[in-house]
Amino acid sequence: MDIIRRDLNELSDIDVDIYTFDSKKLRYGEIMLITFKGYYRTGSAGNSDAMYMRTMGEAALIAWEPSGAILDMSQLTYKWGDKLEIVFDTGARYFYDEPFPTAVVVGPNCEEAVRTLLLGMDSKEPIESVEWVFKDLEAACNYIEQKLEEYK
């Protein structure tokens, strides 16, 4: 029997950084900021990038149990690849019994591709028409805080 050692880092060159900060709305609540930096490979070549991003995000949420999460893709280069959609559901499976607000921040190197992924290639709607996608971190924080207030 050949046993092969595996390491999650072999899936992707995407850098993932994890931060937390206190919620302004919940006395004991924390919001997690998960940043993704680097180049998401195009098309199906990026499938393992998506799996890595989702896996790292899920692991962080399980370990620290925040009240909400922001997925910061502002430093990610993404051109095309449908599998990125699985990253947007980070946390949904583990927090299914209570509301868990999640927001996504896009940057100039992924905004248009994320827009067409979510709204369709022929859509003329702006990325802002997606309630949980933002172009800046402050707006995403405000959204998460608003949702935490609603869920109280």
Side-chain angles (χ1 to χ4, degrees), residues 89-107:
D89 288 332
T90 300
R93 193 166 57 177
Y94 294 99
F95 300 98
Y96 63 90
D97 58 338
E98 59 186 63
F100 185 78
T102 305
V104 173
V105 178
V106 295

Side-chain angles (χ1 to χ4, degrees), residues 25-48:
K25 302 289 183 181
L26 295 180
R27 186 171 182 182
Y28 298 108
E30 280 187 326
I31 298 170
M32 181 165 281
L33 173 64
I34 305 169
T35 65
F36 302 106
K37 302 173 194 167
Y39 180 80
Y40 183 101
R41 291 168 285 181
T42 304
S44 62
N47 288 355
S48 63

Side-chain angles (χ1 to χ4, degrees), residues 42-43 78-82 85 110-127 129-130:
T42 304
Y78 165 73
K79 302 294 182 198
W80 176 72
D82 292 347
E85 280 189 303
C110 70
E111 177 186 342
E112 180 58 16
V114 169
R115 186 190 73 77
T116 59
L117 177 65
L118 295 173
L119 299 170
M121 291 293 293
D122 297 325
S123 174
K124 302 295 182 206
E125 289 183 70
I127 193 79
S129 67
V130 180

